[in-house]
Amino acid sequence: MQQTKRTWFLKGMKDGIPICLGYFAVALTLGITARRAGFTAIQAALVSLTNHASAGEYIGFTLIAAGATYMELCIMEGVANARYLLMSCALSQKLSSTTSIIHRLLMGFFVTDEIFGVSIAVPGKLNPFYTYGVISVASPGWVAGTFLGVILGNVLPLRAVSALNVGIYGMFIAIFIPPAKKSKVIGVLVAISFIGSYICSNIPFLAQISSGIRIILLTVVISLAAAILFPIQEEEPSSTQTSDPQPVPDISPAEKSLCHSDQ
């Protein structure tokens, strides 16, 4: 069992490397925003360490710089981060019923768009140590990027730093393209979500709603329609099985030798 946890953790670390790189690039611009709001490098890094919310942190730093009240800050943060409630609910369905509350709380604290994306794509039940592996690599990239962004805020041109944000879009594409190739339904739903997002951002009434609320509405409507029209049949457990199987991910020979050496 110990080897299985270690294997999942190593697999998560491997999948967390591209997320770390994307986080680092985006967090540089976040650090510049924090510097303009009057935060020091240490203070901004602590905010990223305790929040892990890109849009939420941007909004928070912007409101603080504008002198907003605590009430305004709380309301805007709630709206911007409300989508994480949906992600947490979906992710909880991937966990075994025997997963402890401690594991659930730790995973919920680090839920982000990217960590959710790779975790939900794991076949079968999700082992918490896979997500921990992703977090152990991705989270330091986010915190370090914010820290250096504050320091380099007056050194690098803003356009050069903003150009690094392109990497985050490539990371999102890498998350949903493989499942879309395997399932035509997923591919169609992805296309519908793109079209729906574009339409909602251009309709005068819906365009006035915050992007976070629009994402929640689109997610609920599209996922509900998909669940009704294309329900996923749960596999019947075999008579010889007493618990949910935990598939072990493929690992490289180097990772296998590391597992054996640690034993």
Side-chain angles (χ1 to χ4, degrees):
M1 182 64 179
Q2 188 67 25
Q3 182 177 352
T4 302
K5 292 179 180 179
R6 188 179 295 111
T7 302
W8 275 109
F9 190 85
L10 292 174
K11 174 62 175 175
M13 292 182 65
K14 180 180 178 181
D15 293 346
I17 292 175
I19 297 179
C20 174
L21 297 177
Y23 276 1
F24 183 82
V26 175
L28 286 176
T29 59
L30 178 66
I32 295 176
T33 305
R35 181 184 180 89
R36 292 176 176 174
F39 284 77
T40 65
I42 296 295
Q43 291 171 339
L46 287 175
V47 172
S48 288
L49 180 63
T50 56
N51 283 271
H52 292 86
S54 56
E57 289 184 51
Y58 272 116
I59 292 174
F61 289 142
T62 303
L63 291 176
I64 291 173
T69 64
Y70 288 120
M71 181 61 67
E72 292 173 333
L73 186 62
C74 290
I75 293 175
M76 288 304 300
E77 289 295 331
V79 172
N81 298 320
R83 67 186 186 280
Y84 294 131
L85 294 175
L86 298 177
M87 295 181 189
S88 298
C89 291
L91 198 60
S92 67
Q93 304 304 308
K94 289 281 294 183
L95 298 174
S96 171
S97 58
T98 59
T99 303
S100 66
I101 186 65
I102 298 298
H103 286 308
R104 295 175 184 270
L105 290 175
L106 287 175
M107 294 175 67
F109 177 78
F110 288 98
V111 166
T112 64
D113 298 337
E114 297 76 24
I115 294 177
F116 167 79
V118 295
S119 298
I120 204 71
V122 171
K125 291 296 183 180
L126 174 64
N127 190 307
F129 285 87
Y130 170 83
T131 303
Y132 296 156
V134 177
I135 293 169
S136 68
V137 176
S139 180
W142 181 250
V143 177
T146 306
F147 180 87
L148 291 178
V150 176
I151 296 176
L152 301 177
N154 292 330
V155 178
L156 296 177
L158 182 57
R159 291 184 178 180
V161 178
S162 298
L164 297 175
N165 289 344
V166 177
I168 202 73
Y169 298 105
M171 181 169 54
F172 275 121
I173 293 174
I175 290 175
F176 65 74
I177 286 297
K181 287 183 177 180
K182 296 179 181 179
S183 172
K184 293 182 178 179
V185 174
I186 295 178
V188 172
L189 292 176
V190 169
I192 292 176
S193 65
F194 284 163
I195 297 173
S197 179
Y198 176 78
I199 292 175
C200 290
S201 62
N202 285 275
I203 295 178
F205 171 74
L206 295 177
Q208 297 177 358
I209 303 176
S210 68
S211 59
I213 294 295
R214 290 203 304 267
I215 291 174
I216 293 175
L217 293 176
L218 284 172
T219 301
V220 172
V221 171
I222 295 176
S223 60
L224 179 61
I228 296 175
L229 298 176
F230 309 101
I232 298 177
Q233 301 296 331
E234 294 186 1
E235 296 181 358
E236 292 288 341
S238 61
S239 57
T240 59
Q241 280 185 315
T242 58
S243 62
D244 295 326
Q246 291 286 337
V248 179
D250 296 332
I251 61 176
S252 63
E255 291 172 334
K256 290 182 180 179
S257 62
L258 179 60
C259 293
H260 290 300
S261 64
D262 289 341
Q263 288 182 333

